[in-house]
Amino acid sequence: MPASVRIVDIRERTVDISRYSDRSLPSGGLTTSIVALATDAVRRGRPVVGFGFSSVGRFGQGGLIRERFAPRLISAGEVDPVAAWAAMMKGEKPGGHGERCVAVGTLDMALWDAAAKIADLPLHALLRQRFGDRGNPAAVCIYASGGYPHPENDPVRLKEELRRFRDSGYQRAKIKIGGVPLSRDLDRIAVAAEIFSAPHSLAVDAMNGYEPAAAIAAAHAFRPLQLMWLEDVCDPLDFETQSAVTAVYEGPIASGEALFSVAEAKLLDRHGGLRRDRDILLFDPVHCYGLPGYLDIIETMETRGWKRSAFWPHGGHLFSLHVASALSLGGTEVNPSSFQPFGGLADGAVLSAGCASPTDLPGIGFEGIEALDHLFRRL
Ligand code: MG
């Protein structure tokens, strides 16, 4: 990174996002923050601007970004993502992660986008140079994520959505459960399993919604189904229930999406009953204080006996895809129809055997998604 490059401006805005491709359906008032980080570097005759957003599922973080973290970044001026991250975190106290980790992760994403554009490399190549295995292939195992219950005509719309996934080349999919009675969820799973019928090609995500007794009942009911995994089965910090579920459910269990720190990851590992030979870790690189925080979690879990192949980062967007590719993770989520225009692969991306490669545009490649490029440029 040339030492002379400086951050000259940071802009942020909160925007609405929806779980549904049909934006007229109510989606719980979900938002995300978008940020643009302008530098004084020039590539191809234009100033380099890094773009980032708050991943999905945790709302916008405008207050923390405006009041605390963007001013620190501007005053440090530092563009190198690791040094800039340290500047953002200066003075922060241990614990109390709240959602400040998401605010930091949002700016961290823009820093990496800018750094890769300045290096004139796609992000996965820059990360591979700095942290990864330089020889590994770029393609990443992916699954299509969606299957939120529709307020009306749910089974038909669920089937249509999953057919679209399959017809686009996805070989694995995940649907949401837990918001309706168990008998209805079993019907929804049966509908989805007609399309994704191979064993271990369909995952279910209870979105941390089950109370303890319901979590155990669901685990018993899902045991015979040969699911890819059972995800977010109870409150993220209810390790007692997580562990009890693990004791009765032999198939893979996925957890960690709503935990944001190394300390929480260690608690999950110590008390959640997870099994290193089959279970899945979903930590979201953006929500975990950005890439430096996420790398810290990976290294900590590796020293405790976990393999990188257990990591399937949450998010379903291009940043997660670059990270999974560069760090040789097990795979990653893709949101082909939810959380648009942030979710999914680059426009025109082609899947091969259920896998995808990140775009080779410089940076994260948001410019390869027309609607997203338009949104960031207006910022
Ligand atoms: Mg989940």
Side-chain angles (χ1 to χ4, degrees), residues 143 145 148 174 176 204-208 229 231-232 254 257-258 282 314 333:
Y143 65 92
S145 192
Y148 287 91
K174 183 172 86 184
K176 304 298 181 180
V204 298
D205 177 2
M207 297 189 287
N208 303 113
W229 65 62
E231 172 172 330
D232 294 339
E257 161 188 332
L282 300 165
H314 170 262
E333 176 176 33

Side-chain angles (χ1 to χ4, degrees), residues 232-314:
D232 294 339
V233 73
C234 59
D235 184 279
L237 291 168
D238 183 356
F239 302 125
E240 186 180 334
T241 298
Q242 178 73 75
S243 175
V245 165
T246 310
V248 300
Y249 188 84
E250 295 90 350
I253 284 179
S255 189
E257 161 188 332
L259 301 176
F260 305 134
S261 65
V262 169
E264 290 166 331
K266 284 158 79 173
L267 286 171
L268 175 66
D269 184 42
R270 174 74 181 80
H271 300 291
L274 298 184
R275 301 143 305 183
R276 295 179 175 90
D277 65 346
R278 77 197 83 163
D279 290 332
I280 301 296
L281 302 171
L282 300 165
F283 303 101
D284 184 317
V286 185
H287 293 168
C288 294
Y289 290 95
L291 199 57
Y294 187 64
L295 285 165
D296 209 0
I297 289 175
I298 290 180
E299 283 163 18
T300 300
M301 297 301 256
E302 281 184 321
T303 63
R304 298 168 79 96
W306 286 88
K307 293 198 176 70
R308 286 200 174 197
S309 56
F311 285 81
W312 286 66
H314 170 262

Side-chain angles (χ1 to χ4, degrees), residues 17-248:
I17 49 170
S18 175
R19 301 181 168 98
Y20 298 108
S21 52
D22 177 352
R23 298 293 289 249
S24 70
L25 297 174
S27 187
L30 286 176
T31 58
T32 191
S33 288
I34 55 173
V35 295
L37 185 147
T39 73
D40 59 5
V42 175
R43 294 289 179 274
R44 297 181 172 89
R46 302 176 69 165
V48 171
V49 180
F51 297 116
F53 70 102
S54 302
S55 192
V56 301
R58 284 284 140 184
F59 296 94
Q61 304 294 327
L64 283 166
I65 290 171
R66 275 194 308 277
E67 291 175 11
R68 200 144 110 212
F69 296 109
R72 284 184 200 160
L73 264 188
I74 296 256
S75 105
E78 183 63 68
V79 174
D80 178 82
V82 173
W85 188 86
M88 272 196 287
M89 291 297 289
K90 192 154 191 244
E92 291 295 313
K93 297 180 176 178
H97 305 290
E99 290 191 355
R100 73 173 173 185
C101 43
V102 183
V104 172
T106 305
L107 291 163
D108 176 77
M109 190 198 289
L111 285 162
W112 285 107
D113 188 40
K117 285 170 174 166
I118 291 167
D120 206 21
L121 290 171
L123 179 62
H124 68 90
L126 178 71
L127 296 181
R128 202 168 266 121
Q129 275 183 6
R130 289 186 69 158
F131 307 113
D133 168 2
R134 295 184 190 199
N136 64 328
V140 180
C141 283
I142 55 174
Y143 65 92
S145 192
Y148 287 91
H150 280 82
E152 283 173 21
N153 217 6
D154 179 52
V156 172
R157 298 188 80 164
L158 178 64
K159 192 178 265 188
E160 286 170 358
E161 184 182 15
L162 290 168
R163 274 208 190 107
R164 278 198 302 278
F165 293 163
R166 184 196 58 194
D167 295 347
S168 308
Y170 291 93
Q171 296 183 351
R172 306 172 197 86
K174 183 172 86 184
I175 66 167
K176 304 298 181 180
I177 57 162
V180 297
L182 181 57
S183 61
R184 228 184 108 199
D185 269 335
L186 286 165
D187 291 343
R188 300 187 83 245
I189 293 169
V191 166
E194 285 175 31
I195 318 281
F196 285 88
S197 54
H200 313 293
S201 65
L202 179 69
V204 298
D205 177 2
M207 297 189 287
N208 303 113
Y210 286 131
E211 296 299 323
I216 301 292
H220 280 293
F222 298 156
R223 270 170 68 175
L225 301 182
Q226 294 194 292
L227 295 170
M228 184 165 87
W229 65 62
L230 169 58
E231 172 172 330
D232 294 339
V233 73
C234 59
D235 184 279
L237 291 168
D238 183 356
F239 302 125
E240 186 180 334
T241 298
Q242 178 73 75
S243 175
V245 165
T246 310
V248 300

